[in-house]
Amino acid sequence: MMKRWIFLALFALVPCMAGAFSLDQLQTQLRAQPIVRGHFTQQKFLRSLAQPLTSRGDFTLAQGKGLLWKLTSPFEQDLRITPQGIAKRDAQGQWQALPQQMGAGRETGIFLAVLAGDTHGLQENFDISLAGNAQAWTMTMKPSSALLSQIFEAIIIQGGALVQRIELRETQGDRTVLQLQDVQPAAQLNDEEQRAYAQ
């Protein structure tokens, strides 16, 4: 479940590809905003539960460094996703690498393709379609690889200037919805973020 949660977190960072943007223009747009911060509300709709499981928190994406995902409710947990793998911060403030499960290397590669805006890499694993315009768009991603097809039915991303909503539909019928709020570019990392990436 944590793997799918992290997967969803990373897809929140896919930029707007609607309108007349070319791949080169899209990559340029990403490099123009090397640091992005925001808040999130995530709801997990399980077939076995009448009410969704809701969590909230904050995130920071730094180009070339990775993603910091800070869960604040219903409990506190800090995750860091970098080219070296996925780590969790322990009670002493130290980052501990999470064990790599079978197939995790391939999924980490997909994660990094999302972080880098590597649409060619994403198209190796997803069939991507777009509707709308640059101000109000919907991007639907359907797995084309056998591995991801076993997990996901589709990933639907909606937004305007920035991503606003992500819906993850799983093959067994469960659904996760991520709402992003107050997403803003930043000029530099703060001291806490710098320490998190440096450890």
Side-chain angles (χ1 to χ4, degrees), residues 33-105:
Q33 298 181 353
I35 302 171
V36 178
R37 296 193 190 98
H39 310 300
F40 67 85
T41 299
Q42 180 177 288
Q43 291 182 298
K44 180 80 173 178
F45 297 86
L46 302 175
R47 293 171 300 161
S48 57
L49 297 178
Q51 298 295 325
L53 302 174
T54 301
S55 59
R56 293 179 173 84
D58 309 299
F59 72 88
T60 300
L61 169 67
Q63 191 177 115
K65 293 181 179 294
L67 173 70
L68 300 176
W69 192 254
K70 184 180 181 63
L71 185 68
T72 58
S73 173
F75 57 88
E76 295 186 358
Q77 184 178 68
D78 291 355
L79 293 174
R80 181 187 65 193
I81 300 95
T82 70
Q84 290 71 44
I86 301 168
K88 180 175 68 173
R89 182 147 50 186
D90 62 22
Q92 289 72 43
Q94 300 300 311
W95 291 96
Q96 303 295 329
L98 295 177
Q100 294 291 317
Q101 300 176 354
M102 184 176 296

Side-chain angles (χ1 to χ4, degrees), residues 4 107 147-153 169-172:
R4 295 175 192 176
E107 291 190 14
L147 175 62
L148 294 176
S149 294
Q150 295 175 14
I151 304 172
F152 304 114
E153 176 185 321
R169 298 177 181 175
E170 300 181 22
T171 54
Q172 77 274 23

Side-chain angles (χ1 to χ4, degrees), residues 137-175:
W137 52 268
T138 299
M139 179 167 68
T140 302
M141 303 175 63
K142 294 188 175 181
S144 56
S145 71
L147 175 62
L148 294 176
S149 294
Q150 295 175 14
I151 304 172
F152 304 114
E153 176 185 321
I155 297 169
I156 301 170
I157 305 172
Q158 296 174 307
L162 296 169
V163 174
Q164 299 166 348
R165 183 182 186 274
I166 301 166
E167 180 176 347
L168 224 175
R169 298 177 181 175
E170 300 181 22
T171 54
Q172 77 274 23
D174 294 339
R175 188 167 59 95

